[in-house]
Amino acid sequence: WETAHLDDCDALVPIAEEDERDFRSLGASKPSFVLPCGVDTSEPVPAAEIDRNRVYFIGSMLYRPNQEAVRWLADELWPRVIAIEPRARLTVAGSGFPDALRAHLVSQEIEVAADVPDVRAFSAPFRAMLAPLFSGSGMRIKVLEAMALGKPVIATPLGAGGIDVTSGENILLADDVNGLARHVAQCMDDDALAERIGLAARALVVERYDAGRLALQLLEFYERLLRNAS
């Protein structure tokens, strides 16, 4: 049904170039404008004392890819991190925790923070954010939010999907458990690295993914459509 009606609209606004290519391959011919998801970067980063040994994962546990990521974190990644850095501590935050998943995390000595009221305040004391996702689509707003807070993000390529990042510059990426574990330990041990990655991450989000800037770009696209239609 969607394929049959792609050209019934005046324009398409996909969130990623890959989506735009998919629409074109399906026969879409109307004007399009790639508009990535954005976040508000106008508020200052909350002041907090950073605990270099603490990292976090956050997301709705009603979303199956997040459940899969959290179980993989607990069973595969975190034991390897602890083997490298025994002082490391992981907190998994979110909403809609199934009882079995919560119990599994607690049994692994992983802290659970359900229904966090203020994500910015919650995230402030952590060294880094983890986003080891292996399924799902689109962009992860939580990754942009963490980057906007100046947090180093340690992710799989899919976890950072749709965001124009460069591993080692403004994010730390790996597609295997050992690579991710090394990144976590390195981020905890190397203050200069964590600060450099975090500052570059925030700079990227302010420049490319600020919601206000993106809104202006979308308005300019609409204005061009109107001029071409008149």
Side-chain angles (χ1 to χ4, degrees):
W1 185 90
E2 290 179 351
T3 302
H5 293 277
L6 279 175
D7 274 349
D8 288 355
C9 57
D10 293 312
L12 296 171
V13 185
I15 65 171
E17 293 181 359
E18 182 179 359
D19 293 343
E20 183 182 43
R21 289 192 294 270
D22 287 343
F23 285 134
R24 294 299 181 206
S25 69
L26 292 170
S29 62
K30 291 297 180 69
S32 64
F33 178 71
V34 176
L35 184 78
C37 299
V39 294
D40 182 6
T41 65
S42 62
E43 295 186 29
V45 175
E49 184 175 350
I50 304 297
D51 186 336
R52 64 190 300 172
N53 296 315
R54 297 182 69 195
V55 297
Y56 72 101
F57 177 99
I58 191 167
S60 170
M61 296 305 145
L62 299 175
Y63 184 49
R64 186 174 295 275
N66 282 341
Q67 291 187 25
E68 293 171 350
V70 166
R71 285 196 172 273
W72 186 85
L73 262 175
D75 296 340
E76 301 294 335
L77 177 59
W78 203 242
R80 285 172 170 79
V81 172
I82 293 297
I84 301 171
E85 179 47 80
R87 296 170 296 178
R89 295 164 58 199
L90 169 64
T91 298
V92 175
S95 58
F97 275 91
D99 291 341
L101 180 59
R102 182 196 295 265
H104 184 64
L105 294 174
V106 171
S107 72
Q108 304 280 59
E109 299 185 350
I110 294 171
E111 181 183 13
V112 174
D115 302 315
V116 173
D118 184 339
V119 173
R120 288 169 54 85
F122 163 79
S123 306
F126 290 90
R127 173 69 123 183
M129 176 193 163
L130 307 182
L133 296 172
F134 297 96
S135 61
S137 61
M139 293 178 65
R140 278 73 184 177
I141 300 296
K142 61 188 178 185
V143 171
L144 289 176
E145 289 175 337
M147 293 174 69
L149 291 173
K151 298 293 178 187
V153 174
I154 301 163
T156 55
L158 185 61
I163 307 173
D164 188 17
V165 289
T166 302
S167 186
E169 180 178 321
N170 42 40
I171 200 169
L172 295 169
L173 298 179
D175 57 8
D176 66 282
V177 65
N178 291 324
L180 288 168
R182 285 194 298 270
H183 281 326
V184 174
Q186 185 181 20
C187 199
M188 290 178 176
D189 292 338
D190 192 334
D191 292 338
L193 171 71
E195 182 178 12
R196 176 175 62 80
I197 296 291
L199 289 174
R202 175 166 173 79
L204 174 69
V205 174
V206 169
E207 179 183 354
R208 298 281 299 276
Y209 300 102
D210 175 74
R213 289 174 181 252
L214 292 172
L216 291 176
Q217 294 172 20
L218 181 60
L219 287 174
E220 291 173 357
F221 173 64
Y222 287 160
E223 289 170 352
R224 290 197 300 272
L225 286 178
L226 290 172
R227 286 197 300 269
N228 293 335
S230 61

